[in-house]
Amino acid sequence: MPIQLFNTLKRIKEDFVPIDPERVRMYVCGPTVYDFAHIGNARPVVAFDILYRLLRETYGVDHVIYARNITDVDDKIIARAAESGEKIGDLTQRTELAFLDDMGSLGAMVPDIQPRATEHIAGMVTMIADLIKSGHAYVAEDHVLFNVSSYDDYGHLSGRNRDEMIAGARVEIAPYKQDPADFVLWKPSAEDQPGWDSPWGRGRPGWHIECSAMSEKHLGRTFDIHGGGQDLIFPHHENEVAQSTCAHGGETFVNYWLHNGYVMVEGEKMSKSLGNFYTVHDLLDEFPGEAIRLALLKTHYRKPLDFTKGGLQNAKMDLDKLYRALKETPAQSSAPSNKVMEALKDDLNTPLAMTYMFELAQGGGARDQLLASGKLLGILQHDPEDWFKGKASGDDGGLSDTDIDDLIEKRKQARVDKDFALSDSLRDELQNQGIILEDGAQGTTWRRS
Ligand SMILES: [Zn+2]
């Protein structure tokens, strides 16, 4: 079965046919680096990581190029730095590292290319100049704007008509616009704002042009897959299509547009005032990264997801089951399960893939198949012993492994001495600390509950 993907451009699920199977190219909009990533930011990262893994499995690891940008010049960054007094460069660098660290904890592979906007300004200036030359952009009051009415297909990707676009909350009305739907390609920078020299004065790029210029530089004028959150379809992706297509004389920009669904948290829209604003950084203090990853994967990527702490606990228990199976069953085959592969090829059906994972775990005797399939899903990447000892979730400040081994040794001696009261009280003490003992033929093993 070929890989099938739901293409937002056509609103159908269709066979994925790459332009060049030797060089399959995917671009996903990356973070604007001014604050810790929240769980809504993590969803596209994990969803497109599954696609990246599937493409590598299908076309070979050397035949897939995944680019995800870093937006390190943006008004939100400028505002945050002004607020806190931190230097912009320090803020963006620190946030970029934290992002990579957090996404790594969620088992997301590092993309092949992570272009930073500030390192691609020249390409953006060239593209803007080309758009002006071809009549698709104009200069007004030190700004350069894209002329939406110059592109007949504007609105095709998002399926919006003109009125809906103008009513869209993100369309900014400004006096220098010829048309309210026109959007900024370049804007002037004040003395204390980051800026670059350009034919239109010292300024900085708009957000949309960043992705058009960086994807062209690294993936070419036409490439296979562009991904991002559903909230980016309009205006961001609509504008990327307009800019790239017009700058390239009408050449197709992207063949497959993929979008993940919205994230709710505890049944509501995530917001700091509701106290349900979950950063990945904070969640990692409480849960192993794989549990957070699985909680995201248990809902199909295109469906809305209600992310809850209860769901996270369930995901943790699911992983316990799978790791227990890994611990108990002997190694046999070494290929990922066909059923798991087929589920992923069907528009990344991760919930179905997980059903098959549990079948595998129950079947027994397929340890390597479970492991290989887990690798495709980016889970079960820890040693089962470490997982149950809680090492996968970092230091929780409780009993250390040595403390636990000590107490277990004491309990063993108490049992040899037939001091069952002491032995029982030691067991209780461990249990109170969340340590579960399992007495078996080979002695006592333990895990954190
Ligand atoms: Zn983008």
Side-chain angles (χ1 to χ4, degrees):
M1 177 182 140
I3 295 177
Q4 294 200 309
L5 300 171
F6 186 90
N7 190 349
T8 306
L9 199 57
K10 299 181 185 166
R11 286 165 182 76
I12 50 162
K13 190 158 74 177
E14 57 178 357
D15 287 358
F16 173 66
V17 183
I19 298 161
D20 176 3
E22 300 283 307
R23 209 166 157 266
V24 181
R25 286 156 290 161
M26 170 164 84
Y27 185 94
V28 175
C29 295
T32 300
V33 282
Y34 68 101
D35 206 346
F36 283 119
H38 56 66
I39 195 67
N41 303 134
R43 193 177 192 194
V45 172
V46 169
F48 293 108
D49 181 65
I50 293 284
L51 180 54
Y52 182 45
R53 286 169 188 263
L54 177 65
L55 292 171
R56 284 162 61 96
E57 180 73 23
T58 306
Y59 296 97
V61 294
D62 297 329
H63 301 294
V64 182
I65 305 172
Y66 174 19
R68 186 182 63 210
N69 67 294
I70 305 273
T71 293
D72 57 353
V73 52
D74 186 273
D75 289 357
K76 288 194 222 73
I77 297 171
I78 297 172
R80 179 59 60 90
E83 216 174 274
S84 67
E86 189 174 6
K87 274 193 203 150
I88 285 179
D90 293 346
L91 170 66
T92 55
Q93 198 181 24
R94 182 172 62 76
T95 310
E96 180 186 320
L97 286 174
F99 177 82
L100 285 178
D101 206 34
D102 288 345
M103 297 307 125
S105 298
L106 301 189
M109 296 177 72
V110 178
D112 300 290
I113 306 163
Q114 298 189 82
R116 293 188 189 92
T118 52
E119 290 166 7
H120 293 76
I121 302 290
M124 297 173 206
V125 167
T126 305
M127 194 176 240
I128 295 169
D130 287 347
L131 287 169
I132 295 173
K133 216 181 296 164
S134 56
H136 293 290
Y138 58 94
V139 184
E141 296 181 25
D142 302 324
H143 290 69
V144 183
L145 290 125
F146 186 89
N147 178 0
V148 164
S149 59
S150 75
Y151 179 51
D152 285 344
D153 240 9
Y154 193 75
H156 182 136
L157 177 69
S158 59
R160 292 187 186 216
N161 65 36
R162 263 196 61 88
D163 292 344
E164 286 168 331
M165 284 187 278
I166 293 162
R170 295 224 206 169
V171 172
E172 192 192 345
I173 313 280
Y176 48 79
K177 288 184 181 180
Q178 288 176 5
D179 182 313
D182 292 349
F183 57 90
V184 168
L185 300 172
W186 188 264
K187 59 180 151 193
S189 289
E191 281 282 306
D192 59 344
Q193 292 176 326
W196 291 263
D197 290 331
S198 82
W200 322 288
R202 185 177 172 277
R204 59 190 189 278
W207 173 38
H208 315 302
I209 196 74
E210 295 181 5
C211 287
S212 280
M214 289 190 279
S215 62
E216 181 193 341
K217 164 92 193 268
H218 296 285
L219 303 180
R221 291 179 162 206
T222 305
F223 55 93
D224 300 297
I225 299 168
H226 193 315
Q230 197 183 307
D231 54 326
L232 297 188
I233 298 175
F234 186 84
H236 185 53
H237 290 164
E238 193 72 65
N239 293 352
E240 280 188 40
V241 176
Q243 294 161 161
S244 295
T245 311
C246 292
H248 300 148
E251 278 178 68
T252 299
F253 174 39
V254 169
N255 287 335
Y256 301 85
W257 280 91
L258 270 63
H259 294 98
N260 63 274
Y262 292 110
V263 177
M264 308 271 283
V265 175
E266 309 288 355
E268 302 203 66
K269 193 170 190 278
M270 183 168 54
S271 81
K272 284 189 174 153
S273 59
L274 285 174
N276 66 348
F277 193 89
Y278 293 172
T279 66
V280 173
H281 189 77
D282 287 342
L283 287 170
L284 283 168
D285 285 341
E286 276 181 77
F287 296 93
E290 277 192 10
I292 301 171
R293 181 182 180 94
L294 183 55
L296 294 171
L297 294 179
K298 282 171 77 176
T299 300
H300 186 262
Y301 80 96
R302 281 196 291 115
K303 295 220 171 88
L305 169 78
D306 187 17
F307 190 87
T308 64
K309 289 264 174 95
L312 258 175
Q313 251 132 21
N314 287 337
K316 165 75 167 58
M317 284 192 287
D318 289 342
L319 286 167
D320 285 349
K321 267 185 224 158
L322 295 175
Y323 272 110
R324 208 162 293 137
L326 273 187
K327 219 171 128 177
E328 285 161 9
T329 51
Q332 278 186 1
S333 82
S334 61
S337 138
N338 260 334
K339 280 175 148 183
V340 172
M341 268 301 271
E342 295 292 284
L344 293 182
K345 283 179 171 181
D346 183 11
D347 195 30
L348 312 180
N349 195 337
T350 49
L352 184 61
M354 284 312 297
T355 305
Y356 294 141
M357 290 294 281
F358 286 112
E359 272 180 19
L360 275 178
Q362 272 160 15
R367 183 177 191 264
D368 281 1
Q369 208 172 41
L370 190 61
L371 260 182
S373 309
K375 198 173 172 199
L376 255 184
L377 290 160
I379 56 171
L380 306 180
Q381 301 300 294
H382 298 280
D383 182 86
E385 296 285 340
D386 289 349
W387 175 264
F388 287 114
K389 287 177 183 173
K391 284 183 186 163
S393 54
D395 191 1
D396 58 7
L399 288 176
S400 75
D401 291 5
T402 327
D403 297 336
I404 294 161
D405 289 337
D406 257 18
L407 288 170
I408 289 173
E409 200 50 44
K410 273 189 196 150
R411 175 169 168 266
K412 193 171 142 198
Q413 191 55 47
R415 275 151 61 110
V416 169
D417 299 342
K418 299 212 180 325
D419 187 350
F420 295 113
L422 177 60
S423 138
D424 285 347
S425 82
L426 287 168
R427 171 179 278 264
D428 290 347
E429 189 181 332
L430 284 160
Q431 232 159 32
N432 288 341
Q433 298 276 346
I435 309 299
I436 292 163
L437 301 184
E438 281 164 352
D439 292 316
Q442 261 126 43
T444 303
T445 58
W446 62 269
R447 60 186 169 90
R448 294 184 203 268
S449 63

